[in-house]
Amino acid sequence: MDMARDGVPPFDPELAAALAALGDEARKPYTPDNLAARQKRDAAARPRPTVQDLRADGRFEVNELRVPGGADGQDVTLVSARPADVAGPLPLLYYMHGGGMITGNAWSVLPRLLHEWALTLELAVISVEYRLAPQARYPVPVEDCYAGLVHVAAQADRLGIEAGRIIIGGKSAGAGLAAALALLTRDRGGPAPIGQLLVCPMLDDRNDTFSSHQMAGTGLWDRTSNATAWQALLGDRHGAADLPSYAAPARAKDLSGLPPAYIEVGSAETFRDEGVAYANGIWQAGGQAELHVWPGAFHGFDTVAPQAALSEDARNARFRWLRRVLTQSATSDAPVR
């Protein structure tokens, strides 16, 4: 299906300038032919901070944990961090990094999460080093995340975490994993999160929404990159009619009984329509979702242009939602539904 190029939402001017400054090479799509080389280049361009770096001269307690129970019996690495000067058990943000299921790591996202949220909200953060595609295909990444969540909830007292106040969240692929994790823990009777933070979530392997066609060839993550990533994750199961919702949450037939969701997308990004549809599905199932569609925003806009006014608005909206969910949970013994 070909979409006409007229009528494509324009980029916000500040964001457009930041995107242009990246250069043509950074905007090239991922393809099956260049995937291996791009993974190596991305890993080199995003060096992992050390545990000592993350401790920030003693402001944070940071530890690496190895927990059992991954999809194929391998241990899962978690990076646990919390403000060093806050006593007592803390609520937890259990976070999955972005990168299209094919790049990224658990360490690089922590500086932002710690300084923007953990200090102000007195929040612990655990970042999951789930294994990446195509070396690890579905269900390995989501099962890695589930194994870590089960372990953390079971060991909450030892880890200084409030087991009844866990928020799951992520960005892009990580947000898709968070959505899948909410479905998985609901269906297995696992730990019950009090919220799910879904920032520009990667939800639908079918890659056939209006926005995926409309925004083809623009921004940092178009339908070519998206198809490459889903194929890497799913292999021969890509596009299968019976694909489980734990692989692609947009496939879910039942969105009832999920924790309250924060969902945001840009008006000028590939994932716009699947994110809006997911929020609508939660509402239709009687659930709670807060939806933001940032005008003129492309995928990953706040990382590319962190000082832009729109990026600041998005960060503030996420912060307010987190604070509200945590405040509500502090006065209730049950997850907010």
Side-chain angles (χ1 to χ4, degrees), residues 107-261:
W107 291 262
S108 296
V109 296
L110 278 170
R112 176 179 56 83
L113 300 177
L114 292 175
H115 290 278
E116 289 187 7
W117 294 338
L119 282 175
T120 307
L121 296 171
E122 297 188 347
L123 181 71
V125 179
I126 288 181
S127 183
V128 187
E129 180 69 349
Y130 60 87
R131 284 167 284 172
L132 300 176
Q135 292 79 11
R137 287 190 158 144
Y138 173 79
V140 171
V142 70
E143 292 290 356
D144 283 352
C145 298
Y146 183 78
L149 179 64
V150 169
H151 176 87
V152 166
Q155 299 295 319
D157 289 345
R158 183 176 65 83
L159 295 172
I161 291 164
E162 295 182 71
R165 299 180 72 200
I166 298 175
I167 297 171
I168 57 177
K171 187 174 186 179
S172 190
L177 283 169
L181 193 56
L183 294 166
L184 196 59
T185 194
R186 177 199 66 182
D187 296 346
R188 291 181 178 175
I194 60 171
Q196 51 178 327
L197 177 73
L198 310 181
V199 179
C200 52
M202 178 179 172
L203 300 168
D204 196 343
D205 68 298
R206 294 165 293 194
N207 203 25
D208 199 32
T209 62
F210 188 95
S211 60
S212 77
H213 290 274
Q214 184 185 39
M215 304 311 301
T218 65
L220 289 177
W221 190 263
D222 75 343
R223 66 191 315 270
T224 297
S225 294
N226 202 39
T228 300
W230 279 112
Q231 178 65 45
L233 177 68
L234 300 175
D236 292 342
R237 303 183 74 179
H238 182 213
D242 61 348
L243 191 71
S245 59
Y246 315 129
R251 302 290 199 109
K253 304 297 184 184
D254 177 13
L255 294 180
S256 64
L258 296 175

Side-chain angles (χ1 to χ4, degrees), residues 48-57 60 62 111 115:
R48 301 196 314 193
T50 66
V51 167
Q52 192 61 37
D53 292 334
L54 293 171
R55 287 175 179 157
D57 296 324
F60 302 101
V62 182
H115 290 278

